[in-house]
Amino acid sequence: DSGTPQMKTTLFLAARSGLFPATLFQGIPARFAGGAYKSREVRLDGIPDVRLSLPADSAVAREPSNSYGVSESPLPTGPVAVSAAFTEALRKAVSAARYDDPVLMLGETGTGKTMVARSIHELCARSAGPFVEINCSAIAESMAESELFGHVQGAFTGAQKARAGKFRAAQGGTLFLDEVGDLSLDVQAKLLKAIDDKMVTPVGSDEPAKADARLIAATNRDLPAMVAAGTFRHDLYERLKVVVIRLPPLRERREEIRPLVQRFIDPWNSKYGEQRFVTEPALSLLEAYSWPGNVRGLHNALRSAVNTANTDALGPEVFPDDVRQSIVTGSGGVADASGAPLIPPEGVNLKARLLQVEWQYVSAALRIFVFNGEAAA
C-alpha cells in the first residue's frame, strides 16, 4: 500500500523517469486476496515517458548514474573499475600514458585490452594523432609484413598500387598490435628493428621511411613460455615489456558484473526509449557464470536478451542457452560442468539463489498459461 494518491503519483513518476531502474509492485492484503497476501507488478506501458532534470548541486545529481557504488575510473572514457586488480591495471595505464615507452597488455580475449589501449592513447601527448589497430592473428603470415610496413606497387602479385602500412598510418599517433604473439619469427625481427630505428622498409623497396608511432601491444598468450620454446624472440619481448599491464578475466572480478550490466543497458534504453532492466535472479545467474568470453561475452549475452525479451524485465530465461545451461541444473541449483555445486570465492547469496529457483517455476507457469497471472498462480 503506497499511501496517499500523491505518494502513488510520486512513485509512478520516479519509476517512469528513467533516473534509475525500478519495478513497481502492488500489494494486495490477505483480506482482499482469499486469505493470502499477494502482489502483482504494476505495468507502466500506458504512461508517457517522463524526463526529470536535477539541479547541478543536487545530492542526487552528484551521485553516480548507477546504484552499485562504482568507483570512478581514472580514465576519461572506457572501463569503470570496482575490483582491486582492475583498478590497479587502470592506474598503470594512466601512469604509462604520460610517457612514450611501449606498453604490453596481457589478458584473455574480451577483457578490454582494446578499450584500455584507446584510453592510453587519449591521455598521451600523441592523442591528436591517429590510433591505428591491427589484429595480428587475423592476417595471413605471407601478408603480415606488407600490412605492417607497407609495399610498393608491383612488389608481389596483386600489389597493383603502393600501400603505406600500419606503422606509417600511425605516424605521430599510436599503433596497437593486438595478439602480437601470433606474428612469425621473421616478422618479429623486422618489428624489433622498426621499433628501435623508428623506420620501416616497405616490401619491394630499398628506401626506408620514417615511422614514429607509440607502440602498445597485447596478447592472450604466455610470452615467457613462447620465449623459452623459441617461438617468440627474447629481444622483442624485452623491448615490448617496458610497461606490463595484466587485465584480469571477468571471473576474477565478479563484483564488476552488475555495474557492467548497467553500463550496457543504459545506452540501449536511451537509444530505443525503453526501460529494460535485469532482474535479481538473472543478475545472480550472470554473477555465477564463468564468462569464457569475458566482458565481450557479457555484452553479447545482454544484447541477445534485450533482442528476444517480451518485457522490460530481463529474467534468466531470456539469456543465451550457454549461460543458463552451463550452470543451472534441473533443480535450479548452480553447478559446474561435473554437476558439483559451484561456490565462488566471494560466497553465495543463498536468498538470491532460492529466488532464482522460484522465478524459474513462476516463469514456466506464466508461459504455460500465456501470461495469465491468476491462472499461473
Side-chain angles (χ1 to χ4, degrees):
D1 186 355
S2 59
T4 66
Q6 291 86 350
M7 293 172 65
K8 294 178 181 179
T9 302
T10 301
L11 288 172
F12 274 98
L13 287 173
R16 198 57 169 161
S17 68
L19 289 176
F20 52 85
T23 304
L24 296 184
F25 289 90
Q26 178 186 18
I28 306 174
R31 63 182 183 275
F32 299 123
Y37 185 88
K38 295 182 179 180
S39 66
R40 65 181 179 184
E41 183 178 349
V42 179
R43 305 301 302 163
L44 304 176
D45 299 338
I47 301 177
D49 285 341
V50 177
R51 291 291 176 260
L52 302 180
S53 59
L54 295 171
D57 59 351
S58 163
V60 177
R62 291 194 297 268
E63 290 296 318
S65 60
N66 59 71
S67 58
Y68 303 117
V70 182
S71 60
E72 294 186 0
S73 167
L75 299 173
T77 60
V80 176
V82 175
S83 68
F86 201 60
T87 299
E88 175 60 16
L90 297 188
R91 186 201 64 76
K92 284 186 176 181
V94 171
S95 179
R98 296 178 294 172
Y99 310 107
D100 219 17
D101 287 312
V103 174
L104 176 62
M105 289 192 294
L106 306 176
E108 297 177 7
T109 299
T111 50
K113 297 189 291 291
T114 299
M115 184 179 294
V116 175
R118 286 186 178 276
S119 297
I120 292 173
H121 170 72
E122 292 170 5
L123 281 173
C124 76
R126 295 172 176 262
S127 59
F131 177 87
V132 178
E133 177 185 358
I134 181 170
N135 188 336
C136 300
S137 65
I139 54 178
E141 183 177 339
S142 59
M143 295 299 297
E145 186 176 350
S146 172
E147 287 285 333
L148 286 171
F149 311 123
H151 61 254
V152 298
Q153 184 177 2
F156 50 84
T157 302
Q160 299 178 356
K161 60 180 181 179
R163 185 174 182 180
K166 299 296 186 181
F167 252 98
R168 282 190 287 173
Q171 179 73 25
T174 301
L175 176 62
F176 176 46
L177 297 177
D178 198 10
E179 304 304 345
V180 69
D182 291 352
L183 291 176
S184 68
L185 287 169
D186 181 53
V187 176
Q188 289 175 31
K190 294 175 180 177
L191 173 61
L192 176 63
K193 183 173 178 57
I195 295 172
D196 288 339
D197 298 345
K198 297 189 183 299
M199 303 283 288
V200 297
T201 303
V203 177
S205 172
D206 295 325
E207 296 296 327
K210 185 177 181 181
D212 182 15
R214 198 268 176 81
L215 189 67
I216 301 177
T219 184
N220 63 2
R221 304 181 68 175
D222 187 344
L223 290 189
M226 293 179 67
V227 170
T231 56
F232 198 86
R233 292 180 62 100
H234 181 267
D235 48 4
L236 177 59
Y237 174 61
E238 291 295 329
R239 190 69 180 86
L240 293 177
K241 72 178 186 72
V242 177
V243 178
V244 178
I245 299 175
R246 179 184 177 272
L247 300 185
L250 192 54
R251 62 181 176 275
E252 293 181 9
R253 44 187 174 110
R254 295 178 190 271
E255 62 268 43
E256 292 175 358
I257 289 177
R258 291 181 181 238
L260 282 170
V261 166
Q262 199 66 38
R263 166 70 67 89
F264 296 143
I265 288 291
D266 284 346
W268 177 278
N269 286 336
S270 294
K271 181 176 181 179
Y272 296 105
E274 297 181 345
Q275 300 292 330
R276 301 298 186 101
F277 64 95
V278 181
T279 66
E280 182 61 33
L283 287 169
S284 298
L285 181 82
L286 300 181
E287 287 176 322
Y289 187 49
S290 61
W291 294 112
N294 292 294
V295 178
R296 187 181 297 120
L298 173 62
H299 192 191
N300 289 338
L302 285 166
R303 290 175 63 184
S304 174
V306 294
N307 270 281
T308 57
N310 293 322
T311 65
D312 286 344
L314 305 178
E317 74 283 351
V318 300
F319 284 87
D321 290 345
D322 58 342
V323 175
R324 293 184 295 108
Q325 295 176 357
S326 63
I327 64 170
V328 180
T329 67
S331 62
V334 179
D336 60 20
S338 66
L342 172 66
I343 302 179
E346 65 275 13
V348 173
N349 184 336
L350 188 57
K351 184 177 180 181
R353 291 286 181 269
L354 294 175
L355 188 61
Q356 179 180 325
V357 176
E358 179 182 344
W359 173 255
Q360 288 179 325
Y361 286 110
V362 171
S363 61
L366 286 171
R367 287 195 297 272
I368 292 171
F369 292 100
V370 198
F371 293 91
N372 182 319
E374 291 187 10

